[in-house]
Every structure is written in structure tokens, then in C-alpha cells.
Amino acid sequence: MEFKQYLMTHFKLQLPTWIDDHLASADFSTETLEDRMDFVITLAHLNVKNNTGGPFGAAIFDRDSGKRLSCGVNLVNSQNCSLLHAEIVAIIFAQKHLGHYDLGASGMPSCQLVTSVEPCAMCLGAIGWSGIRQVVCGARDADARKIGFDEGIKPENWVEKFNRQGINIIQDIMRDQACNVLKNYQETGGLIYNPDNNREV
């Protein structure tokens, strides 16, 4: 099978089917930051419960209206792709939904990324290029590292640096609730899928 045909046949980015059921049946508000964070924490919890990925959820909202533009969950293990963190998935679907690679372009809604855990090093890079102008975080980087996840090599004072670039960072929204998802994942034997970066070369 040719490589192009293999990709077309085998790699189709799709959210787990339970998300459609959740969106159809749930009665939730997105008026406040806490409402929006509660939504993504629930995504993270359901991702673990349904065994479709790691304990991370994210969504992109119109900051002003609260309209949900996309959502994402961690699909690293289920899709066998190390790039598919919740934030990346949410960004991809928002860009496809809005029809533009730059979520900060003229005419775009004011895109706000809400994520259950602070972005890792990879996701920080993606956020910087995505055009998103506000990131709302639940659990801290240290909370993810505490249960064994490698968050990568992040710039010192990354929050201040992002703020100076016009990307507003808000931390610790419902941090305890977000941490509970991480702790539950660890306690129930969830896979910590870090690459082996300690190999001898």
C-alpha cells in the first residue's frame, strides 16, 4: 500500500464517540470561567473513564459570548500519536471549524483556550502559533509532573513571556478539581506514556 493511501485510510482524526453523547445530553453553561473549566475537567474525567486517552481535556470558546468553538481530549495512546494532546486536538478542530489557520486573524472570534492542565512544552509552541489570545488553566505543570508525566523543557517565566506577547494566561481555575482527575488516573493505574528519554546513546 502506498504511503499516501495508507495515511488516507488509517489516519483520520476523530473525537471519541462518547463526546457526541455527552454534548447532546449534558445541560451546562459556559458563562463563567468556572463553567468552562468544569466542562473541560469533565471531558478529562470521561476520557479516562471511557479508556480513550490520558487525563486531559481542553476546549476553545469565544471569550466574549461563551460559545464553544471546539473541544479536545488527549488521544496519544488510543491514536498512537504523541502529538495528540488535548490542546492540540482542540486547536485543530477550531481551525477547521472556523476555516482559518490563524485564530487571531481579523474577523475571527476572540478565541480562548481552556485546558484542564497547564500546557506542556509542545502545546505552548502550538498555542503561540495558533493565534489564541487567552489560555485558562486548571491544574499546574507541577501537578502533572507529580504523577509522572514529562511536561518537557519549558521556558522559565513562560506565563510572563506569553503575557508580554499578548497571550493572556490565567491559572488555577478549579485547580483542585482538575488535580483530582490526575490523582484518580494515577491511582487506577493509568498509563504514563512518556518516551524513554534516558536511553544511552
Side-chain angles (χ1 to χ4, degrees), residues 9-43:
T9 304
H10 290 84
F11 191 79
K12 294 178 182 177
L13 182 57
Q14 294 180 324
L15 290 169
T17 55
W18 59 259
I19 288 185
D20 289 334
D21 296 336
H22 174 64
L23 295 178
S25 63
D27 180 21
F28 50 79
S29 169
T30 58
E31 291 183 6
T32 68
L33 290 184
E34 288 76 15
D35 291 334
R36 298 171 198 181
M37 183 60 69
D38 183 65
F39 174 76
V40 301
I41 290 172
T42 300
L43 289 182

Side-chain angles (χ1 to χ4, degrees), residues 166-199:
I167 304 172
N168 177 236
I169 306 295
I170 299 173
Q171 297 171 292
D172 298 334
I173 301 298
M174 298 179 66
R175 181 179 180 182
D176 289 344
Q177 293 89 326
C179 285
N180 285 339
V181 178
L182 296 174
K183 291 173 186 174
N184 179 65
Y185 186 75
Q186 180 186 42
E187 289 168 359
T188 56
L191 175 67
I192 306 296
Y193 46 78
N194 296 331
D196 181 2
N197 289 325
N198 296 313
R199 294 185 299 263

Side-chain angles (χ1 to χ4, degrees), residues 5 47 49 62 90 92 95 97 143 161 178:
Q5 184 181 358
N47 202 39
K49 181 179 177 181
D62 180 331
I92 289 170
Q95 291 172 335
H97 172 64
D143 301 322
K161 290 175 181 177

Side-chain angles (χ1 to χ4, degrees), residues 1 8 15 38 51 68 75 82 84 88-90 92 99 109 112 123 125 128 138 144 156 165-166 179 181 193:
M1 184 182 296
M8 293 176 65
L15 290 169
D38 183 65
N51 197 33
R68 189 182 61 254
L75 300 173
S82 63
L84 295 183
I88 301 287
V89 174
I92 289 170
Q112 174 194 70
C123 293
E156 288 186 24
Q165 290 183 334
C179 285
V181 178
Y193 46 78

